[in-house]
Amino acid sequence: MYSSSIADAPLVRAPLHAPVAHLIRGGMIEGIHYGSVVVLGDDGEVRFQLGDIEAAFYPRSALKPVQAVAMARAGLPLDGELLSLTAASHSGEERHLAGTRRILELAGLTEDHLRNVPDMPYDPVVRDAWVREGRLPSRLAQNCSGKHAAMLYTCRLNGWSLEDYLDPGHPLQQAIAEIVEDLTGQRIAQVTVDGCGAPLFSVSLHGLARAAARITTAVPGTPEARVADAMREHAEMASGSGRDVAALMRAVPGLLVKDGFEGVQVAALPDGRAIAVKIADGANRARVPVAAAALAWAGVDPALLSEFQGEALLGGGQAVGCVQPVRSLEPVVVSACA
């Protein structure tokens, strides 16, 4: 079971990643993706590990469920779609923009109060339509706007200043850091700035998996359970139409999933089984099949994971191979490669 004590921060070092997936073309290994993988059992113990699961790393947006829990603990009253959006890396669809506006309205604020970076919508189809319409980058369209709106709402509720809510020393960010350490079970190793401008906390891959398991096994009605329920019930609000993490949450009953830039993914089941993946080169083409293989290792029915074994590698417009997890990751299901 999980200890209530908080361990020392993971070491900041060059991670000792290992091969986690092979790029197969015509039956030969053409390339290798390195990374690290951890699988936790329902008792919190490590059931499988590959690479370096204890070195400090940046979880990127995979930490957003933890940030949402911290805000809920600080009094954020959102639930359902809006709480899911709080933990989202959204695609910039109209529902995401409308939800972010609604959070700001509840706080008595506007888009002008946001301090995330202006950007185009994340989803390529939505982005292309945005460009055709002559629309410019905006803070609302940027994929972290729901989180930032919720941060502002949390500050307003607690009487905290709004202008500097992204400062690591701000009461909001201090409260988030405290919950990061609580749920991961370890001290934060290092703090930097994420792509959206918010503080980014470095933990270990093991700690990230532990945090996800703590969230999915929490007592109903707690901030942790509220976040897990919101994300699972409104998976496309936490990501977007056609996104692999939303499809995975729909495919596997009770599964909570969150991805992050640079090849990070975390997932946890209601009984506490959890996985976390880091692809060293940040490749999504490896993240998806490696995460699916880790979930099979954790005991998820492989039949539920068949659509997440990766896209085919094309040659002349025909499938000639794929990205295949290394054999040690696939004791249950083996991807078919040309």
Side-chain angles (χ1 to χ4, degrees):
M1 300 300 292
Y2 297 104
S3 171
S4 59
S5 61
I6 297 177
D8 292 339
L11 292 178
V12 177
R13 65 184 183 212
L16 303 174
H17 291 309
V20 293
H22 292 150
L23 177 64
I24 307 294
R25 182 186 292 270
M28 290 180 57
I29 296 176
E30 183 179 32
I32 301 174
H33 288 287
Y34 284 73
S36 297
V37 180
V38 62
V39 177
L40 302 184
D42 58 8
D43 58 356
E45 296 298 316
V46 175
R47 290 288 179 263
F48 175 86
Q49 61 180 304
L50 187 61
D52 195 341
I53 69 170
E54 302 296 355
F57 90 120
Y58 291 123
R60 302 300 298 272
S61 288
L63 200 62
K64 281 179 179 172
V66 178
Q67 293 172 307
V69 167
M71 287 185 270
R73 286 196 190 183
L76 185 69
L78 302 177
D79 283 297
E81 287 189 347
L82 296 185
L83 185 55
S84 183
L85 183 59
T86 296
S89 299
H90 66 69
S91 291
E93 300 166 30
E94 283 303 320
R95 64 175 141 191
H96 301 129
L97 307 187
T100 301
R101 290 191 193 97
R102 179 58 182 153
I103 296 173
L104 290 169
E105 288 170 0
L106 290 170
L109 302 172
T110 69
E111 181 180 353
D112 291 338
H113 290 89
L114 294 171
R115 292 292 179 266
N116 58 317
V117 294
D119 202 356
M120 307 294 278
Y122 177 73
D123 183 272
V125 175
V126 179
R127 183 172 60 247
D128 287 349
W130 191 279
V131 172
R132 285 195 302 271
E133 294 165 5
R135 302 169 76 175
L136 298 174
S138 78
R139 298 184 193 277
L140 205 63
Q142 197 268 338
N143 76 90
C144 302
S145 64
K147 178 184 77 174
H148 281 255
M151 285 182 170
L152 285 166
Y153 192 9
T154 304
C155 290
R156 175 57 62 90
L157 291 168
N158 285 278
W160 296 331
S161 59
L162 303 180
E163 296 77 11
D164 59 343
Y165 75 94
L166 297 183
D167 188 315
H170 189 279
L172 170 70
Q173 302 303 337
Q174 291 293 300
I176 290 174
E178 180 181 344
I179 303 309
V180 168
E181 294 187 336
D182 178 29
L183 294 182
T184 63
Q186 59 190 174
R187 299 295 178 192
I188 292 166
Q190 194 161 298
V191 181
T192 188
V193 182
D194 209 341
C196 65
L200 176 60
F201 305 107
S202 176
V203 294
S204 69
L205 197 66
H206 187 181
L208 178 65
R210 188 161 46 230
R214 293 275 302 276
I215 290 172
T216 58
T217 58
V219 175
T222 60
E224 292 88 338
R226 285 170 49 206
V227 169
D229 289 344
M231 293 181 68
R232 290 181 297 211
E233 292 169 12
H234 304 279
E236 292 189 350
M237 203 67 167
S239 54
S241 303
R243 294 274 290 279
D244 57 83
V245 290
L248 191 53
M249 282 193 274
R250 290 194 301 268
V252 181
L255 186 68
L256 176 71
V257 187
K258 187 67 188 78
D259 56 346
F261 280 155
E262 298 304 324
V264 183
Q265 184 155 322
V266 66
L269 291 153
D271 63 3
R273 286 175 291 159
I275 66 104
V277 170
K278 164 64 181 176
I279 306 300
D281 62 3
N284 276 329
R285 71 178 184 181
R287 172 183 59 82
V288 177
V290 168
L295 285 168
W297 233 108
V300 173
D301 182 354
L304 301 176
L305 302 169
S306 59
E307 66 177 290
F308 305 102
Q309 293 183 20
E311 299 177 2
L313 180 69
L314 302 181
Q318 302 296 317
V320 296
C322 67
V323 177
Q324 180 175 285
V326 295
R327 294 298 183 186
S328 62
L329 252 175
E330 290 202 310
V332 179
V333 55
V334 177
S335 304
C337 258

